[in-house]
Amino acid sequence: MTELKIAADIVDRENEKRQSAHAADYEALGAHLARRNIDIDAITQKVSEFFVAVPSWGVGTGGTRFARFPGKGEPRGIFDKLDDCAVINQLTRATPNVSLHIPWDKQDPKVLKAHADALGLGFDAMNSNTFSDAPDQPHSYKYGSLSHADAATRAQAVEHNIECIEIGNALGSKALTVWVGDGSNFPGQSNFTKSFERYLSAMADIYKALPDDWRIFSEHKMYEPAFYSTVVQDWGTNYLIANTLGDKAFCLVDLGHHAPNTNIEMIVARLIQFGKLGGFHFNDSKYGDDDLDAGSIDPYRLFLVFNELVDADHRGVEGFHPAHMIDQSHNVTDPIESLISSANEIRRAYAQALLVDRVALDGFQQDNDALMASDTLKRAYRTDVEAILAEARRLSGGAIDPIATYRASGYRAKVAGERPETKGGSGGII
């Protein structure tokens, strides 16, 4: 039996308070969609089957290069993190899997799996860390990891990634995400070609260690912590990596890892077209890699990304099963609330994309009717699908209003009394 971190009667009581209004809203939306020949129950069913993984590190308070201001009841380690992740899934029914970061979350895999099983959680892609130094490691990543000029440092980074695969295999994970901060801060500091050659060689060694049913995701980022050049700086380089490594290698798209005016949805379409879209790290950004809550700045762009995903599914693209995960830093909000909100916003974009009239859109595109093609997308985007999201949660045993229910539960105050208070004053994003 699944261990619930919030008592079931609290969820039931909060749902009962909202059920009448919710039922009326769902009925009204259903009537509206029926006039557009859309079955609301079919859309709700699809939404209820869409899941996004939460990052273990996301339930802790983030920070900037300048400071970190701890929140109350912060998790002390991976077991507390899993407890917090279980709360998110209990209320949203959208996040049954957790993505771990090693070595931050390193524990006995058997103990970890038992704890997750008790909470009804599974494990998504593993994440390696060669962008910061672990205690007692012999070689530093200050000047790079998989692309480092020193062979011993590269070998250490490769070994760490293989260890992540081994841990993940014991936990039931099926993928490894590799992001490196490798690059340079000054012109001439590194040779662009040689550093990329070293990176590809090291990634090939990691690729060889993948189990047959695993995938490896390479992740691009245009800058930071290397500010002059980055080894894996854009989707084109990312595609070259995946194409060079082999059939189990794919590109991961982090929505915050692009310049502000980049057409991310077109990147998604290109990677789908050539069979190399591995998945997403969902977040939002204003200037760069801000790691803001998904949909908080540009929800229309999130919708446009999902429009490409639904279009690919509609066309029956072979082997199309991208991974979905949140990757955010919560500096001024309760991380659990932000992750609840983000999971719902991601599902919202998916639901809206399901409402696009694809036959009409295709006709307008064939006729070069730009205005009506754009309006077809906007009509779906402007539809308030909140009742669909709430019904998908309710039918799965979640909360009609998950944030209100979370606050009513007193969970944050409870764990604040159990977990020692973290002192402030530190810098750096966690």
Side-chain angles (χ1 to χ4, degrees):
M1 184 174 180
T2 301
E3 177 185 346
L4 299 177
K5 306 310 292 186
I6 292 176
D9 65 308
I10 294 177
V11 178
D12 292 341
R13 183 175 68 243
E14 291 296 313
N15 279 354
E16 187 177 351
K17 287 162 51 176
R18 297 170 173 83
Q19 176 56 32
S20 177
H22 162 64
D25 290 345
Y26 190 75
E27 182 180 1
L29 178 58
H32 169 75
L33 292 178
R35 292 194 295 272
R36 292 158 58 178
N37 296 316
I38 298 173
D39 181 352
I40 189 173
D41 291 332
I43 300 296
T44 301
Q45 182 63 34
K46 286 188 175 182
V47 170
S48 70
E49 295 169 354
F50 179 90
F51 305 115
V52 58
V54 290
S56 63
W57 59 95
V59 291
T61 304
T64 69
R65 290 183 295 123
F66 305 102
R68 191 181 84 86
F69 302 95
K72 294 180 179 179
E74 288 199 294
R76 296 160 292 187
I78 182 56
F79 298 107
D80 285 349
K81 292 177 185 179
L82 289 175
D83 288 348
D84 289 356
C85 291
V87 169
I88 299 165
N89 187 52
Q90 180 185 352
L91 298 178
T92 66
R93 298 300 180 183
T95 62
N97 294 316
V98 180
S99 192
L100 300 184
H101 222 302
I102 306 298
W104 298 341
D105 301 325
K106 189 175 179 180
Q107 292 288 342
D108 183 336
K110 291 182 180 179
V111 179
L112 263 181
K113 192 172 188 310
H115 191 78
D117 287 345
L119 296 169
L121 296 174
F123 293 98
D124 202 74
M126 302 294 293
N127 297 264
S128 60
N129 180 347
T130 62
F131 52 84
S132 65
D133 290 345
D136 303 322
Q137 72 179 46
H139 305 285
S140 174
Y141 297 132
K142 180 177 181 179
Y143 296 108
S145 57
L146 296 178
S147 72
H148 201 288
D150 175 59
T153 304
R154 296 197 303 274
Q156 174 184 271
V158 168
E159 183 180 346
H160 168 66
N161 277 276
I162 293 175
E163 179 190 30
C164 290
I165 294 171
E166 293 170 347
I167 294 172
N169 207 31
L171 294 172
S173 175
K174 296 295 181 183
L176 172 69
T177 297
V178 180
W179 177 77
V180 295
D182 294 27
S184 62
N185 281 281
F186 291 90
Q189 178 183 334
S190 65
N191 183 288
F192 296 148
T193 301
K194 290 180 180 178
S195 63
F196 192 46
E197 286 175 346
R198 292 191 292 263
Y199 171 87
L200 287 173
S201 177
M203 283 288 280
D205 290 338
I206 298 168
Y207 184 90
K208 292 174 186 174
L210 288 174
D212 291 340
D213 58 347
W214 271 54
R215 295 185 292 170
I216 186 170
F217 303 142
S218 52
E219 183 178 358
H220 60 273
K221 185 177 182 180
M222 63 179 179
Y223 74 96
E224 194 188 38
F227 290 108
Y228 171 66
S229 70
T230 306
V231 172
V232 188
Q233 85 286 3
D234 59 25
W235 76 274
T237 295
N238 205 353
Y239 175 77
L240 290 173
I241 293 165
N243 210 39
T244 300
L245 291 177
D247 293 340
K248 293 185 287 187
F250 297 86
C251 303
L252 186 141
V253 177
D254 184 306
L255 269 62
H257 285 189
H258 305 82
N261 294 324
T262 301
N263 191 329
I264 300 175
E265 56 270 26
M266 188 170 72
I267 293 172
V268 171
R270 291 287 188 270
L271 293 175
I272 292 172
Q273 183 175 0
F274 291 96
K276 285 299 182 182
L277 178 66
F280 294 89
H281 278 180
F282 289 113
N283 51 47
D284 214 331
S285 67
K286 180 65 174 176
Y287 304 105
D289 187 27
D290 312 322
D291 276 345
L292 301 175
D293 291 11
S296 62
I297 299 292
D298 195 349
Y300 191 56
R301 181 174 67 182
L302 183 61
F303 160 76
L304 292 175
V305 167
F306 270 96
N307 177 59
E308 297 301 328
L309 299 180
V310 171
D311 176 69
D313 188 60
H314 176 74
R315 290 185 286 112
V317 174
E318 186 177 353
F320 182 67
H321 55 101
H324 305 105
M325 198 194 89
I326 300 170
D327 181 14
Q328 299 173 178
S329 176
H330 312 110
N331 303 340
V332 296
T333 60
D334 181 325
I336 291 177
E337 292 189 0
S338 274
L339 288 166
I340 287 173
S341 174
S342 293
N344 288 328
E345 290 306 306
I346 292 164
R347 272 188 163 183
R348 185 187 311 279
Y350 175 56
Q352 291 167 327
L354 289 171
L355 301 182
V356 173
D357 186 336
R358 307 230 160 250
V359 174
L361 180 62
D362 182 66
F364 294 135
Q365 290 172 342
Q366 291 295 324
D367 294 339
N368 294 310
D369 193 336
L371 183 66
M372 290 307 298
S374 176
D375 190 68
T376 300
L377 292 183
K378 288 182 178 178
R379 186 183 188 192
Y381 174 72
R382 287 192 296 256
T383 304
D384 183 357
V385 296
E386 184 60 42
I388 290 175
L389 307 182
E391 182 67 358
R393 292 190 296 266
R394 187 190 71 82
L395 290 174
S396 301
I400 291 175
D401 187 335
I403 291 181
T405 302
Y406 168 72
R407 292 189 174 189
S409 74
Y411 178 82
R412 178 58 66 187
K414 174 180 176 292
V415 295
E418 298 171 349
R419 302 171 183 173
E421 183 176 353
T422 303
K423 301 299 179 182
S426 65
I429 296 175
I430 60 170

